Amino acid sequence: MNNGALLALACILMLITVPSCVHTPEPIIPQPKDTTKLDTIDKRPCHVDSVYYAKDIQPLFNEFCMGSGCHNLPNPADNLNLSSYSSALASGKIKPYNSVNSKVYQSLVEIDPLKRMPPSGNLPIEKIALIKKWIDQGAKDLWCDEMKTPCDTANVLYSTTIKPIFTLHCVGCHGYSGGVSLATYPGVKAVVNNGKLWNSVNHLSGLSKAMPNSTTKLSACNLRQLKIWIDAGAPNN
Ligand code: HEC
């Protein structure tokens, strides 16, 4: 008897002797999304009806609320520091989904001109409306692709593309010393090599801490540029 025939016989015997030997389909185990391919990186177009803190609100705070001695460090007036999303929310003066009970919004529409903010003069009505809308949408720190600046994926170099991303988004916490240093090439290369950089900026939860933090991601453009550079061997160019 050849092997095929033996196998067939074995199968028949099994079917006879093991009554439970009926064909049950393999359970389908969902596979994690493959984020290693460029074209699977999330694209998040900016939604016209959504308010994006970094794009729409922080620039207003920067322009109107952060003069010297105002709502920024070292001594934020009224304990309200509007220089970043986290400090703005930590003040308790912005109540997500509830603009009318948010001190920040109240101060913009205050009737008494001596108490109204900013002291330099009223904010244009459409800017007040934008802040109101942002709070009523949950005062979130949403992000989307930068629609204004096209993504340059043709000339990705460490010096001109990658380093500035870290300087802007990471070096504040990951300076020259400490566990993860992103201010210099050797520090960056170390986290490229151990895989933690890619995991953390893509929020591959469970593998690494989500960076820059759990609610903010680098833009899709920055992620594409990082991927291109890492795939090229993360050169110091
Ligand atoms: C608000 C502060 C803050 C910012 C901004 C920040 N990080 Fe972190 N990061 C941390 C802390 C805290 C840890 C955990 C302690 C450590 O490993 O240094 C960490 C850890 C990491 C790790 C190690 C993750 C692991 O699993 O061990 C990497 C990689 C990293 N950060 C990359 C980045 C990158 C890239 C950026 C910018 C896109 C960034 N971080 C921005 C605070 C920050």
Side-chain angles (χ1 to χ4, degrees), residues 169-170 173-174 180 182 196-197 200-201 208-209 211-212 218:
H169 299 283
C170 321
C173 297
H174 296 285
V180 175
L182 300 175
K196 287 187 170 173
L197 178 65
S200 66
V201 292
S208 265
K209 224 172 158 313
M211 291 287 136
L218 289 177

Side-chain angles (χ1 to χ4, degrees), residues 211-225:
M211 291 287 136
N213 65 50
S214 55
T215 50
T216 319
K217 257 188 163 187
L218 289 177
S219 69
C221 173
N222 283 170
L223 290 175
R224 292 179 81 82
Q225 292 167 326

Side-chain angles (χ1 to χ4, degrees), residues 5-161:
L6 265 177
L7 202 66
L9 187 65
C11 279
I12 292 163
L13 278 174
M14 270 174 72
L15 280 174
I16 296 166
T17 51
V18 187
S20 66
C21 185
V22 281
H23 179 75
T24 43
E26 286 287 307
I28 297 161
I29 300 159
Q31 296 299 309
K33 200 172 138 197
D34 180 8
T35 44
T36 59
K37 289 199 195 82
L38 247 191
D39 52 6
T40 62
I41 291 176
D42 280 354
K43 290 195 188 60
R44 301 191 192 188
C46 305
H47 195 281
V48 281
D49 287 330
S50 300
V51 185
Y52 296 87
Y53 180 80
K55 185 166 76 66
D56 304 320
I57 303 299
Q58 186 66 61
L60 291 182
F61 289 164
N62 292 351
E63 185 178 348
F64 295 100
C65 318
M66 286 170 53
S68 141
C70 300
H71 298 291
N72 43 352
L73 293 173
N75 291 309
D78 206 21
N79 278 327
L80 173 62
N81 176 1
L82 294 174
S83 60
S84 73
Y85 175 77
S86 51
S87 66
L89 268 283
S91 70
K93 294 179 167 67
I94 292 166
K95 306 258 180 255
Y97 302 105
N98 195 346
S99 58
V100 284
N101 283 315
S102 298
K103 287 258 165 59
V104 166
Y105 174 70
Q106 289 169 353
S107 74
L108 300 173
V109 293
E110 167 66 52
I111 295 175
D112 180 348
L114 294 175
K115 293 192 197 151
R116 194 184 307 139
M117 290 288 143
S120 54
N122 288 357
L123 218 56
I125 195 140
E126 72 278 2
K127 296 193 164 141
I128 297 179
L130 192 63
I131 292 174
K132 182 178 196 309
K133 187 172 169 187
W134 168 65
I135 297 175
D136 288 335
Q137 286 184 352
K140 291 184 183 152
D141 189 10
L142 301 175
W143 71 278
C144 61
D145 296 353
E146 304 120 316
M147 303 296 279
K148 290 176 207 137
T149 37
C151 188
D152 182 358
T153 50
N155 311 297
V156 176
L157 300 177
Y158 175 70
S159 53
T160 54
T161 316

